[in-house]
Amino acid sequence: MTPTLGPPRQPMKNLTTLFRVLRALLTLMVLAAPAHALQLVLTNPDQDFQPVGAGESSGGRLTLQLVSSFEGNVMVVIRNDDGSSSTYTGVVRDGQITVQGQPLARFLAARGVTLTVQPIGGKPFTLPGLKSAPGQNKDAPGQTKDKAKK
């Protein structure tokens, strides 16, 4: 294989462009859809997409539980009750969440949803349906919390 001249390839630039195109398409889809129940998950793309926040809307209100010690880039996944989902990039700084250059509260208000952020302490964050991280399960493999009585 012969070496190529010129600057090295920038796969992140291509990925960023792809996310921008997808974000634009998904934004159009979300804006065209009527307001439904939403599930919102924030993940940390710098740490293998570890969840750092989650919430679900009810009656036009969404309470988002957010790991209070977290700051940095996030991937925001919004799932509608019909199974469709949208993904956006954002940032958390000083407890403020920004998505597409605007506060998450304003971003959701455009969809008829009022946001409340509830800070939670601690690093580990588990979501229903996800496996726990190694070392979090105190029971040995094959054992359950309801041990058979002797």
Side-chain angles (χ1 to χ4, degrees):
M1 176 180 237
T2 58
T4 59
L5 299 177
R9 295 181 70 197
Q10 297 177 351
M12 287 304 288
K13 187 174 183 180
N14 293 337
L15 187 59
T16 302
T17 302
L18 176 65
F19 276 125
R20 286 181 181 162
V21 170
L22 288 174
R23 183 176 25 187
L25 290 172
L26 292 172
T27 300
L28 291 174
M29 289 173 46
V30 168
L31 291 175
H36 294 287
L38 302 173
Q39 289 180 336
L40 188 135
V41 177
L42 296 175
T43 60
N44 181 352
D46 301 326
Q47 294 291 320
D48 295 326
F49 297 95
Q50 176 186 12
V52 294
E56 188 169 343
S57 70
S58 176
R61 294 178 178 229
L62 187 139
T63 300
L64 175 68
Q65 293 183 334
L66 177 66
V67 174
S68 58
S69 61
F70 178 78
E71 286 200 0
N73 296 324
V74 290
M75 260 323 207
V76 180
V77 179
I78 300 174
R79 290 188 198 113
N80 297 310
D81 58 356
D82 64 0
S84 64
S85 64
S86 305
T87 304
Y88 307 93
T89 57
V91 176
V92 177
R93 296 259 188 267
D94 298 323
Q96 300 298 315
I97 307 160
T98 305
V99 176
Q100 291 188 327
Q102 61 183 325
L104 181 60
R106 186 181 304 158
F107 183 80
L108 292 174
R111 289 149 182 79
V113 177
T114 303
L115 176 68
T116 303
V117 177
Q118 178 184 18
I120 58 172
K123 270 283 196 184
F125 194 87
T126 58
L127 298 173
L130 293 180
K131 294 181 181 178
S132 61
Q136 284 185 338
N137 187 358
K138 294 179 183 174
D139 294 327
Q143 291 184 348
T144 63
K145 290 184 180 181
D146 298 324
K147 294 181 174 104
K149 294 181 181 180
K150 294 183 180 181

